[in-house]
Amino acid sequence: MSTDTTPDTTPDPTATSTDAAGTTQAPREVRLVSRPVGWPEPSDFALADTEPVELADGQVRVRNLVMSVDPYMRGRMSAAKSYAAPYELGEAMTGGAVGEVVESRADAVPVGGHVLHGLGWREEAVVDASAVRVVDTDAAPVSAYLGVLGMTGLTAYAGLTRVAGMKPGDVVFVSGAAGAVGSVVGQLAKALGASRVIGSAGSQEKVDHLVNDLGFDAAFNYKDGKVSDLLREAAPDGIDVYFDNVGGEHLEAAVGSLRLGGRIAVCGMISVYNDTEPAPGPRNLARLIQTRGRIEGFLVGDHGDLADEYAKQAAGWLADGSLTSRETFVDGIDHAVQAFLGVLKGANTGKMLVRL
């Protein structure tokens, strides 16, 4: 498991510092203070000290070690109705995190253990023991449980195997292929017998990573031309499966390259998340009639029954080198907002994580 460590030291207007006497700060959290219109701005967030919270029976106090920043969080910053409740203004945001239990009033979760939970965006969390998952940090680094061994990996597996119904011999195309989910999708497709795996990314460095490090058969930089032309060059005989993380021009290109019975699994559409006007849809959907193609959107939360199956498969793939991951790290909760904005702009290779 390779790690790309890229700490960010750019000043952040939401940051605070210790006082001159070096007094220990109260644990801090990032709050949403205004709903972004278009691209989020640092001023939409605030870094705040927290008040002490006493544990109730059945709760644990967790010192977070690493937290996840993900594209889906942009949707939760809007008040619009969606599949997940919007973040409340003036309150700390939430998201995946792994940390060390420093206090416990739950026999099943002892002090010193490491747990995965949903109260990221803060340095310390008080969580019901029933809402945490104990993880084995001897088997894998804590960060892996937010990525290849966590929701990221399960998203890739469920979308590829159940939603898209990938079969051995399929030609698979994945957009956002150097990102957290996309990079796993491509590797799983190869491990599951795809005849050809193609990825798109936003830089030559990422394209080289896909082919040289992750085993993609072909990849292209979508900034080099029309996506439809680049995809046709990489897959002249068409594609059977498209795993969509981007939407927009990529989706239209994929529809245009579908073979008979082709399937499209829509995981995300990051290219339109910050649009203030509705993005135009693909103009060639009539081609689905010709190809008998299918487009299906999905949420990983609907496929939790695959978690054990995926965990067993992933363990084997990690052991034999079929599956690896790269992570992009930013250090400090005072740079968490910058890390999130970086995800929206494609600054990460693999999973973007914040070390706390």
Side-chain angles (χ1 to χ4, degrees):
M1 183 176 294
S2 60
T3 301
D4 177 20
T5 304
T6 55
D8 189 332
T9 57
T10 306
D12 187 329
T14 64
T16 60
S17 59
T18 55
D19 62 28
T23 303
T24 303
Q25 288 182 316
R28 298 170 294 172
E29 63 186 22
V30 178
R31 299 172 182 171
L32 184 69
V33 295
S34 60
R35 299 204 182 278
V37 177
W39 284 90
E41 299 290 341
S43 57
D44 293 321
F45 310 87
L47 188 63
D49 292 344
T50 60
E51 297 295 327
V53 177
E54 294 293 326
L55 293 190
D57 288 341
Q59 290 186 321
V60 295
R61 191 183 312 276
V62 182
R63 179 173 59 85
N64 286 336
L65 300 175
V66 62
M67 57 168 265
S68 180
V69 289
D70 302 292
Y72 81 86
M73 295 173 175
R74 175 61 185 88
R76 297 191 66 188
M77 294 172 189
S78 167
K81 185 177 181 180
S82 184
Y83 62 87
Y87 293 132
E88 295 292 335
L89 290 180
E91 300 292 332
M93 295 183 294
T94 57
V98 177
E100 181 182 359
V101 178
V102 295
E103 184 182 357
S104 175
R105 293 189 63 178
D107 293 340
V109 187
V111 170
H114 292 83
V115 295
L116 170 68
H117 62 89
L119 294 183
W121 290 98
R122 65 204 78 198
E123 292 175 315
E124 182 179 283
V126 172
V127 195
D128 290 343
S130 60
V132 308
R133 171 187 160 201
V134 177
V135 298
D136 184 356
T137 57
D138 291 328
V142 292
S143 57
Y145 295 99
L146 292 171
V148 68
L149 294 180
M151 184 176 69
T152 296
L154 181 59
T155 300
Y157 185 75
L160 192 61
T161 62
R162 176 174 285 171
V163 180
M166 197 213 101
K167 304 183 296 291
D170 280 348
V171 176
V172 176
F173 171 47
V174 54
S175 57
V181 172
S183 60
V184 178
V185 170
Q187 294 178 86
L188 296 190
K190 292 296 289 185
L192 292 168
S195 63
R196 186 167 175 80
V197 176
I198 301 119
S200 72
S203 71
Q204 188 59 46
E205 180 184 6
K206 291 182 178 181
V207 166
D208 292 342
H209 170 59
L210 294 176
V211 175
N212 298 332
D213 301 328
L214 301 186
F216 282 62
D217 297 290
F220 60 83
N221 180 350
Y222 65 83
K223 299 175 183 177
D224 286 345
K226 288 182 61 178
V227 176
S228 56
D229 293 340
L230 296 167
L231 177 58
R232 196 171 295 114
E233 181 179 347
D237 297 322
I239 62 173
D240 300 292
V241 168
Y242 172 47
F243 194 107
D244 190 16
N245 291 305
V246 173
E249 186 184 359
H250 279 78
L251 179 55
E252 182 169 289
V255 171
S257 285
L258 276 189
R259 300 206 284 204
L260 189 66
R263 292 87 68 202
I264 296 175
V266 180
C267 176
M269 293 191 174
I270 196 171
S271 70
V272 301
Y273 285 171
N274 297 299
D275 288 355
T276 56
E277 298 293 334
R283 297 161 294 183
N284 57 348
L285 290 180
R287 194 167 187 278
L288 295 176
I289 303 168
Q290 174 189 346
T291 61
R292 289 71 148 181
R294 173 170 58 85
I295 299 178
E296 182 178 345
F298 74 100
L299 296 174
V300 66
D302 296 333
H303 302 280
D305 60 301
L306 291 177
D308 289 342
E309 176 184 318
Y310 171 68
K312 292 175 184 176
Q313 294 261 48
W317 289 325
L318 286 168
D320 68 17
S322 300
L323 181 59
T324 185
S325 69
R326 181 172 291 185
E327 298 158 321
T328 301
F329 286 99
V330 169
D331 287 314
I333 196 167
D334 47 336
H335 293 112
V337 170
Q338 288 172 299
F340 170 70
L341 297 178
V343 168
L344 297 182
K345 296 175 181 177
N348 55 303
T349 299
K351 183 75 174 176
M352 178 72 90
L353 297 162
V354 179
R355 282 186 293 227
L356 302 170

